[in-house]
Amino acid sequence: IMGMNQLVMDGALTEEQLKFAQQIRASSESLLALINDILDLTKIESGKLELTRVEFDLRALLEDAVDSVAGRAMAGGLEVCSYMDYRIQSRVIGDPDRLRQILLNLLSNAIKFTQAGQVHVVAEVVETGPTDVTFQFKVHDSGIG
């Protein structure tokens, strides 16, 4: 479904058709995230969840996570954005799939419980060692929680 929708989005669409296709994309991404959450919960409960260590672009991941929820945020009149500490190099090693999953979950919850204002995610350096850097991710919102 996601691939076919992308093919549709790559074609010539009216503004309204594009909006519908973007909603299909956002909904399918949310459904995929839910399925992945269920599968991961099963892995966690059975003690079989393994984190990967691959190189990825952290800035692109943050922007992708924000882009994935931006449609829902804007539909609710919210501003959504990301900030990354200038000390963080864009290329890092870690588990991009788990990080994306966690960020999408936190951003989605923040949007769900925020009536007006903004939601933003911040990536900061917490500790720098000789070979490793520890990051902290925070999702801020102007909602009730």
Side-chain angles (χ1 to χ4, degrees):
I1 293 172
M2 295 172 79
M4 293 302 293
N5 187 58
Q6 186 60 50
L7 289 174
V8 169
M9 289 179 68
D10 290 342
L13 300 175
T14 66
E15 189 174 316
E16 182 180 38
Q17 290 170 328
L18 180 59
K19 180 180 174 185
F20 291 149
Q22 289 170 334
Q23 288 175 326
I24 291 169
R25 180 183 63 194
S27 296
S28 61
E29 287 173 352
S30 294
L31 184 56
L32 181 61
L34 177 62
I35 291 168
N36 286 334
D37 286 347
I38 292 168
L39 293 173
D40 284 346
L41 182 58
T42 303
K43 287 180 185 178
I44 291 169
E45 288 175 346
S46 66
K48 296 181 180 176
L49 180 67
E50 294 183 22
L51 298 177
T52 61
R53 288 183 49 87
V54 297
E55 185 175 323
F56 67 97
D57 186 330
L58 180 59
R59 184 175 308 282
L61 186 141
L62 279 173
E63 290 172 359
D64 180 58
V66 168
D67 289 346
S68 294
V69 298
R72 281 180 281 154
M74 289 189 299
L78 301 174
E79 177 186 353
V80 62
C81 57
S82 63
Y83 301 99
M84 192 162 102
D85 189 321
Y86 71 92
R87 297 173 292 170
I88 299 175
Q89 294 183 6
S90 225
R91 303 298 299 174
V92 298
I93 296 175
D95 191 332
D97 295 330
R98 297 292 170 260
L99 179 57
R100 182 181 297 107
Q101 184 179 22
I102 292 165
L103 291 174
L104 285 173
N105 186 302
L106 293 172
L107 286 165
S108 294
N109 284 338
I111 290 167
K112 185 187 314 183
F113 296 108
T114 302
Q115 302 297 319
Q118 65 179 354
V119 172
H120 61 273
V121 59
V122 177
E124 301 173 315
V125 172
V126 174
E127 185 179 338
T128 303
T131 59
D132 294 348
V133 178
T134 303
F135 307 118
Q136 178 173 310
F137 299 90
K138 297 178 185 178
V139 175
H140 299 274
D141 63 69
S142 55
I144 58 175

